[in-house]
Amino acid sequence: MITLKSSREIELMKQAGKVVAKVFETIAPLIRAGISTFEINEIAERVITENGCTGPCKGYYGYPSMTCVSVNNVLIHGIPNRRTILKTGDIVSLDVVACYKGYCADATRTFEVGIVPERVKQLVNVTRESFFESLKYFKEGNHVGDISHAIEAYVNKFGYSVTRDATGHGIGSSMHEDPAVPCYGKEGSGATIKVGMALAIEPMVLEGKYQTRILPDGWTTVSKDGKLTCHYENTVILTSEGLKIITLTEEESKEYKEYV
Ligand code: MF3
Ligand code: CO
């Protein structure tokens, strides 16, 4: 069932979104060679809890942490750990969900560690750009499949692929609600978009083939071909005042002011 959000619910989700953004603002300057994915998660957990939020990922089907920290060939659900230490040239995605008074926001950023090759920069940029391309279709009367199709079409132009094994999703009082928002799809398919809809749109992009596999820990999802992967995500709400991205940092809000 798709729930449309009231203005009160949207306000609470915006509070959660500000905390998610604060996590990125806190972490961004600390991303460098030598830091572990465990330390990144510890800082994120502190920002979430010190700002009056809960982190629903912890304990979700037994998932052990509040965030997912995924390096290079790890597409999603990297479990923070002390052994995974960043080095120059890596890319690392940080996926954060925070809930404020029961209302959630979900976003992901992929950070570059030190100097990364041009080829890697392009993957990071294209993944983010595919999100903004898809937003052009998040309009009343369009279909969720229009958003999905736009992600896939944009990514494919660069020879990359999108995952078949995970999707974006509706979001609100639960972190995962209907509808599913795949990274691929047919124009005109899926639910009709209405004012009040809140979606976590999250391009999950592979440099090579789309196939993934899950490591024996039951979570860590890697590219089967071992090539690089990238993830970008925001929580977006179609309000009566227009389309709002509620998980932007201060700096991003200046860049994407049409969505603030
Ligand atoms: N943030 C992820 C999403 O976009 C959820 C993480 S799965 C969990 O759906 F196990 F970590 F909770
Ligand atoms: Co999500």
Side-chain angles (χ1 to χ4, degrees):
M1 191 187 58
I2 297 173
T3 62
L4 301 177
K5 275 69 191 177
S6 67
S7 54
R8 176 190 154 269
E9 291 176 304
I10 291 170
E11 278 319 303
L12 294 172
M13 290 178 74
K14 281 184 176 172
Q15 291 304 315
K18 281 198 201 312
V19 176
V20 171
K22 197 164 188 173
V23 171
F24 297 139
E25 288 164 346
T26 308
I27 294 292
L30 304 176
I31 295 287
R32 54 177 162 70
I35 193 170
S36 70
T37 61
F38 184 87
E39 290 169 281
I40 292 170
N41 175 71
E42 278 212 316
I43 297 158
E45 293 206 0
R46 204 174 61 225
V47 173
I48 293 168
T49 53
E50 284 180 355
N51 286 281
C53 286
T54 57
C57 292
K58 198 177 211 159
Y60 179 80
Y61 292 97
Y63 187 78
S65 308
M66 283 192 196
T67 71
C68 302
V69 190
S70 305
V71 180
N72 294 342
N73 62 315
V74 181
L75 176 64
I76 50 169
H77 300 168
I79 300 175
N81 68 84
R82 289 190 162 90
R83 300 172 317 281
T84 305
I85 294 168
L86 301 184
K87 53 188 196 318
T88 296
D90 285 347
I91 50 175
V92 58
S93 74
L94 175 62
D95 187 346
V96 181
V97 187
C99 298
Y100 181 73
K101 297 190 176 166
Y103 282 86
C104 305
D106 182 359
T108 305
R109 294 291 180 272
T110 296
F111 300 98
E112 298 170 7
V113 184
I115 308 290
V116 308
E118 214 39 58
R119 161 186 141 248
V120 180
K121 273 190 197 293
Q122 180 183 281
L123 177 67
V124 173
N125 290 338
V126 166
T127 303
R128 183 186 62 253
E129 287 158 12
S130 72
F131 167 86
F132 286 98
E133 186 60 29
S134 77
L135 277 200
K136 297 177 184 166
Y137 300 86
F138 193 168
K139 282 187 187 157
E140 193 171 16
N142 273 7
H143 292 81
V144 171
D146 298 328
I147 296 172
S148 299
H149 175 80
I151 295 171
E152 182 185 28
Y154 189 81
V155 163
N156 286 351
K157 276 201 284 193
F158 296 85
Y160 305 143
S161 54
V162 291
T163 191
R164 263 72 179 146
D165 303 320
T167 69
H169 46 91
I171 182 166
S173 55
S174 298
M175 87 167 145
H176 291 152
E177 296 185 358
D178 290 337
V181 186
C183 301
Y184 63 93
K186 267 208 178 88
E187 292 165 281
S189 69
T192 304
I193 295 168
K194 296 195 170 93
V195 172
M197 229 184 223
L199 300 178
I201 300 175
E202 46 184 318
M204 289 165 265
V205 176
L206 298 99
E207 187 188 22
K209 297 198 165 70
Y210 70 83
Q211 284 89 350
T212 66
R213 89 192 146 82
I214 298 177
L215 299 189
D217 63 27
W219 287 100
T220 310
T221 303
V222 301
S223 59
K224 237 180 192 167
D225 61 14
K227 291 194 175 173
L228 287 179
T229 64
C230 192
H231 188 189
Y232 183 88
E233 174 180 26
N234 281 303
T235 297
V236 188
I237 311 178
L238 185 56
T239 75
S240 50
E241 275 100 53
L243 194 57
K244 306 290 176 193
I245 306 176
I246 64 163
T247 42
L248 295 177
T249 64
E250 296 268 340
E251 209 175 297
E252 291 165 342
S253 295
K254 287 180 206 150
E255 189 172 352
Y256 304 115
K257 47 184 180 313
E258 65 269 42
Y259 297 120
V260 176

